Structures are given as structure tokens and as C-alpha cells.
Amino acid sequence: MFYCMFETILFFFILQNMCRFILRDIYVSAFIVTILFSSMHLLNSVTNAVFTLGLGYIFCILYEYFRIRFGSMISIIINFAYHFLWNMFAIFTFPVLIDGL
């Protein structure tokens, strides 16, 4: 749970905000942050990195949507909840899927 919170704050709050401020483009900054987020997950496996590439981009766009609509703090809480739920789903589902193959 600590890693989930750390990743959410580092990537979606700090890096996403810095990239958006510098580049002035939500989608390009989300893509750059997603590449960084995914590359960190390469330490686990290539499959994990591919999943996080797609899901990380969705999380970045959701962060921006909720940031614009409700503000940064609510957006961080919502993204942390998505991230935490995804991690719980992945922990309990993917080992079963991999063992079944």
C-alpha cells in the first residue's frame, strides 16, 4: 500500500504537474509520465510494464480530468483508490491466470 501511495504522489501529482506546466499539453505530459511509470515496472516483468503502459496512461488522463473538475487533492485520492484497487485485483487475479496457462 505504501508503494501505491508513493507511486501515485510521485508520478501523478509531482511529475504529471511538472510536465504539464513545462509542456502545456495534458496528453503529451501524460504520455511522458506513463513511459516513466511503465519503465519503473520493467523491473518486475515486461508483461507488467506493458499493462502499466496502458493503464498508467488511463490513470494520468483520469488524474487530469478529476484535477480540472474537483482539484488536485481529490484527484490524488481518487487515483490512489484506482491504483490500489488495480493492484489488489492484479495480485489476486494474475497469478491464477499465469498458473492456468
Side-chain angles (χ1 to χ4, degrees):
M1 186 164 138
F2 173 74
Y3 293 116
C4 182
M5 190 182 318
F6 174 74
E7 286 179 342
T8 301
I9 291 171
L10 176 65
F11 287 98
F12 300 124
F13 186 67
I14 296 172
L15 291 177
Q16 177 68 10
N17 284 337
M18 286 174 51
C19 283
R20 184 179 17 84
F21 179 77
I22 292 169
L23 299 174
R24 303 281 185 210
D25 188 337
I26 291 172
Y27 300 104
V28 173
S29 64
F31 184 71
I32 290 170
V33 170
T34 302
I35 294 294
L36 294 171
F37 183 70
S38 179
S39 65
M40 188 181 79
H41 287 83
L42 273 171
L43 299 172
N44 297 338
S45 70
V46 174
T47 306
N48 191 355
V50 171
F51 276 122
T52 57
L53 186 65
L55 200 59
Y57 189 75
I58 292 169
F59 283 166
C60 280
I61 298 301
L62 284 173
Y63 169 78
E64 290 296 336
Y65 171 77
F66 288 117
R67 182 191 61 80
I68 291 167
R69 185 137 175 137
F70 302 113
S72 289
M73 213 48 183
I74 298 294
S75 181
I76 285 293
I77 293 168
I78 291 170
N79 263 23
F80 171 71
Y82 286 154
H83 194 169
F84 179 76
L85 291 173
W86 171 256
N87 285 351
M88 290 298 103
F89 173 76
I91 287 169
F92 292 112
T93 305
F94 289 147
V96 173
L97 291 176
I98 292 171
D99 288 341
L101 296 176

